[in-house]
Amino acid sequence: MTGNSNGNGASYQKEGNGNGSYEPIGNSSPSGGSKKWLIAAVLVAVGVAGLFFTHKTPGAATDAAVAKAALPTSKSGKLKLFDSTGRFLLEDYDAKSTFASFLPSVAGYFGKPVWSFYVNRGQAIATFGTLSKDFPILEFNPANKAYQLTPFIGFRTFVRGTRVGASTGLSTSFQVEPFAPAGSRNLEDENDDPDKPKRIMYVGTNEVEVQEIDGVNGLTTNVKYFTLPEEDFAALVRRTTFANTGTAAVELEILDGLAKIEPSGGKLDWGLKQMGRTLEGWMGVYHADDTLTKPFFKMSTETSDTAKVVIEQHGHYCLSFIESADETATLLPIVFDKDKVFGKSTSLQQPAGLHASSVGEILDNPQYGDAKTGSSFAAIRKITLKPGEISPFGRADHIDEVSTIADLVTSPSWVADKFERARGLIDDLTKGVETTTVNPLFDGAVKQMFLDNSLRGGMPTVMGDVDSDKTYDESSEVKIFHAFSRIHGDLERDYNSFSITPQYFSQGPGNYRDVAQNRRNDVTFLPRLGSFNIKMFLSYIQADGYEPMTVEAVVYVIDDPDKAMEIAEQVTTDANSADILGKVLNGGPFRPGQLFALCEQLNINRTLDNDEFIQPIIAEAEDRAMAVFGQGYWADHWDYYIDLIETYLAIFPDKEEELMFENELRYFFSTATVRPRSEKYVLDYTYDGTSKHVIQLESTSYDGTSKHVIQLESTYFDTEKAAEQEAFRDQNTGRLQIEASWQRDREGKPFKSTPIAKLFLLGAIKFAMRDAWGMGVEYEGGRPGWLDSMNGLPGMVGSGMPETYELYLLLQYVKSVVDKYDRHVVVPVELAKMVATVEEALATLDAAGYEDPEELPDDVPEPLFEYWDVVASARENYRNDVEYYFSGNTTSYSAKKVSKMVGKWLEEIELGMERAKYFGTIGYGDDGTSGIPAAFFSYDVTEWELNGNRNDVGLPLVNAKAMTLKRFPLFLEGPVRYMKTILDDPDALVDVYERVLDSGLRDRELKMYFLSATLKGQTYDMGRQIAFAPGWLESDNDMGRQIAFAPGWLENQSIWMHMSYKYYLQMIRGKLYEQFFSEMKGGGILPFMDPTVYGRPLMECSSFIASSAFPDPGVHGQGFLARLSGSTAEFMDIWKHMFIGKTPFFLNDDGELEMQLVPALPSWLFEDEGSDHDPYFDEDGNHIVSFQLFAEILVTYHNPGGKNIYGEPPKSYTVTMTDGSVTDVDGPTIGTELALKIRRLTGVESIDAYF
């Protein structure tokens, strides 16, 4: 095990005098308690199985060994894509296209995780550590380097074997490195050595295993990794098994472990990359006792060059042992000096040192660990394997009390039991979507998608009052905490920095749009969550209509010191502990994991049962949302609110009025302010030096002689806002308190509005942000929308139709609520002032008698430009009024007033949508007649006047006086968002689908959909997309980074799975069932893609697939950027529509709650000739599929003949209660009384639905 320690207890430093003795280094532990971490573990099993075959013809021995390995095979004799445990299999994994992935870093609610990433090279694990990549145990490298380095600096295994009584034709001795690159097969070479071993990778939800079947040497090696669950120390467990496949015993010498292990010493990632050799000067290997079994890898001090020297006390440990089912294991010695293994082979390609000596000789001679990077190889001098014998050994890493940890991990069956629990833990967490169809691969994909969706958005968890059936909305003691969340930042997304706290209830921050999308269906799987997500995200709406960038886990506070002390006394065992804990609870915000850590650090004696300790505290505490501004204001963060509301109303349609009118929410307060146009429309030279125009960028200037107007630095750090927050800085801790992040009125009170009022405010501001033609919503906050690779579009005075379509849905919802409940909407008086100006501007426009001509010009007509200028000024004046405070005064609108205003706004938006259809798209091979909704527009400022001001770099600022329209190529997001507005019009949906199918958005080779049509001819101003190769991420010029990529790569005309899945979701939502399931089974949706083309497990989404536009045809169809994709949010929504239906709960004509399941399931999920799995039948011979509803109620669909069930409710139900009673329901709906019990999970065991 490799770990982190603060050095408590007796420790020893090996002397540098060459005599191999050890010197105690004393106790460097700080006072105030100890902390035990086990950061990583390696467990190796040694054993025997099967027979050994005489090596007669080339490849015969390996073929025979593979045949005897009992690998899962299909009816055709080929290796199955999955095994009996649901793991995905990748045959010849290291000989195929590279991919990177990760273990989920889930150790359970009462466990501490490590992070770990793996690749399909070498022995898989490429890097692991704690908290972030700044704290590695094995250095973090981006994917392109990890593919090269993992087989050398990662886990390695060296075996020297001597066979006694070997069969004729076999060598009696051998030396081999399982999984070495030299043994990889060359699948493109027909003459490749047939005696090379067979290698297979097994990918599970919480494990990864690699296997090498070496028939020549009669040795099969398996290496398995999993995250240690539910311990108070973190561990990556590695278990290596050797199986002797021969008839004769074999005697082995073994070195197994890490070729390079990094020490603990503060944040190391930068130093390892930039000054790695210098960093080694701080490194040393220490020992917890006078043996070689407990090395401790750490720096002498942290490396910061400051006056305050920080002595490093944490370290990485390594334990190793041979596991036993009935005896305590004995620790094995560790080779920590890599030079003893590799000698002068600095490439680490060959174990030159081991070649020159035996394992015993290495152990018997001195090792040195100073001023160099160490290794951590478990060493076995000699072990004899006989048929039927299996002996595991391991290696582990920890911080403190090495002997205590060692006693635990070496106890009988500890590893085996923990592995079973690691699997069971993920099964428990994903039970909410447990699905059983005729296709186990599909069922496994559902499970994996749910897990990855929960990692991106967080796993919603009920805390506090956990035993009742009350929801978050019904009891203040019911709390919701999202555990296990993480931002990506994996090997392929090396630009991001993840954070995974090594604490109980581990979690990390996430990007706003990621979390908002991936929590969409939380309430579908956990009804007790209620409106938690809606309230939290609507509270993040700022006064200016924007939101922060980063969402953090909620925190808890107990402001009442008496209550804090009362709870502390309840959950501690002595008065001193109660006093300390009471002060902690009343001292500021906390999270569950932090409380457990503080109890350990402060020697608080708490109740032993973890739940009995934490749940009473959380029940009495108040929750507080947490977020961080980050950078820029993204235009799409608000796009996902209606999705959240719709999924909530599908479960709680009877709670809408209460939600919208009976709650009050705060306004988030960021330190960034959006500049008015007069401060960001900058006159600058054009990039090509030939013309002038106005764009909206965060750049400085281009070379050239001509000028144009650009929109620079749309937001700025507002020092006066920061000064306002200083009033909330805690004088004891130096940290800003929670209240600093929430806007107040001038009396210092937090200003609050009802959810419907905040939605109205949001809609009004976005309506006032429409572009000069009244089509798209302007990207005037410095950042684009969902397609963030269009980073250049804000600088081009760009706007987005996706936001317009979402605005249309938002205002439709606001209107429906006020019409339905006829209640007043109370808004800040400042907003009412802005709305009045907007209404006057609309009246002026009407009075001018302007009507669109039959042929619309690109130049913005003067009446429309004047309207845009007035409304934009009103928006800017409003923001100026509420920049620091609300006045506290409000205006109350009647429902009729709101309905009338919003109705008019909707008409204006519809007019803008019609204009967008007229203007359409323009691109290479696109003449604008496709009829497919456009996604983006931009504007050139053709006339302007200097306003006398300059920006921070001295460029002149201008006021726009006239504009002309610019168009872009097709983007899939345009029709996707538009389809949401026509879901009730099947003919219109079919029309859009057929147009897209016949357009440049269709990848005819892959039968998928491009993120965009070709961006050929676009300018680099557009974004990073055109910097990439086609088919890879994005592509072209003015738009931003999108066109910086080659076509087919990243966001440049690739298959961006998230947007594709959004498209497929709208198809099933719009009841285009035949088209949807044809696309799904045809390979557009996992797991129905070709695994040899996709190049990674079919249960895991990638961010993008290299499209047929990519120059290299060998890469077409391959997936890149592993998991943690918004695709999982769309997939889970698709699953809901397939198995549950859009609105399982609804109000009947009398306003009473009822339930109805309306699945959309194809016949091939009941029976499929192409499946190796037999269909399921009930007692009457009807085909069945089943799933878990709310993680507790088994639902079974009985389908005579296994026909398609497309949007069809059951004819009857049988509801079985936990007490054994049964209720038969005749008809398609379940009545109120039983529906309420199902929603509350009150005594309901199963539902059988008959079609």
Side-chain angles (χ1 to χ4, degrees), residues 50-119:
L51 301 173
F52 185 79
F53 299 88
T54 302
H55 188 202
K56 296 180 179 179
T57 59
T62 297
D63 290 344
V66 170
K68 287 293 183 179
L71 300 175
T73 55
S74 64
K75 296 175 182 177
S76 65
K78 294 182 178 180
L79 194 65
K80 280 187 175 181
L81 294 177
F82 54 90
D83 65 10
S84 60
T85 64
R87 299 184 302 176
F88 192 86
L89 272 62
L90 294 101
E91 186 177 7
D92 298 319
Y93 71 90
D94 62 335
K96 295 181 177 178
S97 299
T98 54
F99 77 88
S101 191
F102 54 89
L103 293 179
S105 300
V106 174
Y109 294 109
F110 300 111
K112 298 177 180 180
V114 295
W115 53 263
S116 55
F117 299 94
Y118 63 86
V119 297

Side-chain angles (χ1 to χ4, degrees), residues 1012-1030:
S1012 69
T1014 178
L1015 301 178
K1016 184 177 180 179
Q1018 302 300 307
T1019 67
Y1020 279 105
D1021 285 352
M1022 189 173 82
R1024 70 171 183 263
Q1025 283 171 275
I1026 59 171
F1028 305 136

Side-chain angles (χ1 to χ4, degrees), residues 41-45 237-240 321 393-395 409 414-415:
V42 179
L43 294 156
V44 183
V237 182
R238 179 176 188 267
R239 193 185 206 192
T240 301
F321 53 91
F393 72 86
R395 104 181 189 61
V409 301
W414 183 84
V415 175

Side-chain angles (χ1 to χ4, degrees), residues 755-802:
I756 190 62
K758 293 204 75 172
L759 290 175
F760 176 78
L761 175 143
L762 181 66
I765 293 175
K766 300 305 176 184
F767 181 76
M769 287 170 56
R770 293 182 307 135
D771 62 27
W773 260 112
M775 296 186 298
V777 175
E778 289 186 319
Y779 296 148
E780 49 95 47
R783 299 289 181 177
W786 176 90
L787 188 54
D788 57 12
S789 60
M790 298 283 283
N791 54 294
L793 193 53
M796 301 170 72
V797 194
S799 64
M801 290 305 297

Side-chain angles (χ1 to χ4, degrees), residues 5 27 82 89 140 301 650 673 791 978 1222:
S5 176
N27 188 335
F82 54 90
L89 272 62
F140 181 98
T301 68
T673 294
N791 54 294
Y978 174 71
V1222 175

Side-chain angles (χ1 to χ4, degrees), residues 630-690:
Q631 53 181 351
Y633 284 132
W634 300 91
D636 68 315
H637 283 181
W638 60 278
D639 289 4
Y640 314 109
Y641 299 151
I642 294 301
D643 291 337
L644 288 170
I645 292 169
E646 286 180 347
T647 55
Y648 170 79
L649 294 178
I651 306 297
F652 294 99
D654 50 331
K655 303 294 184 181
E656 182 178 46
E657 182 177 10
E658 177 184 336
L659 169 64
M660 287 293 137
F661 292 96
E662 302 300 328
N663 293 279
E664 288 193 330
L665 306 176
R666 301 184 181 202
Y667 288 79
F668 196 77
F669 185 67
S670 290
T671 52
T673 294
V674 180
R675 297 181 190 273
R677 292 163 298 157
S678 62
E679 296 179 11
K680 61 186 175 185
Y681 278 18
V682 179
L683 187 63
D684 194 10
Y685 291 105
T686 59
Y687 72 93
D688 58 5
T690 61

Side-chain angles (χ1 to χ4, degrees), residues 104 106-111 205-207 224 226-231 237 239 413-431 447 484 611:
V106 174
Y109 294 109
F110 300 111
T205 52
N206 197 21
E207 64 185 278
K224 180 187 298 178
F226 64 93
T227 304
L228 177 67
E230 300 173 340
E231 289 289 351
V237 182
R239 193 185 206 192
S413 297
W414 183 84
V415 175
D417 292 344
K418 284 298 179 182
F419 173 63
E420 290 304 316
R421 181 54 193 144
R423 281 184 171 175
L425 171 64
I426 299 300
D427 289 342
D428 292 344
L429 294 175
T430 59
K431 191 176 181 180
K447 178 179 181 180
F484 315 132
D611 274 313

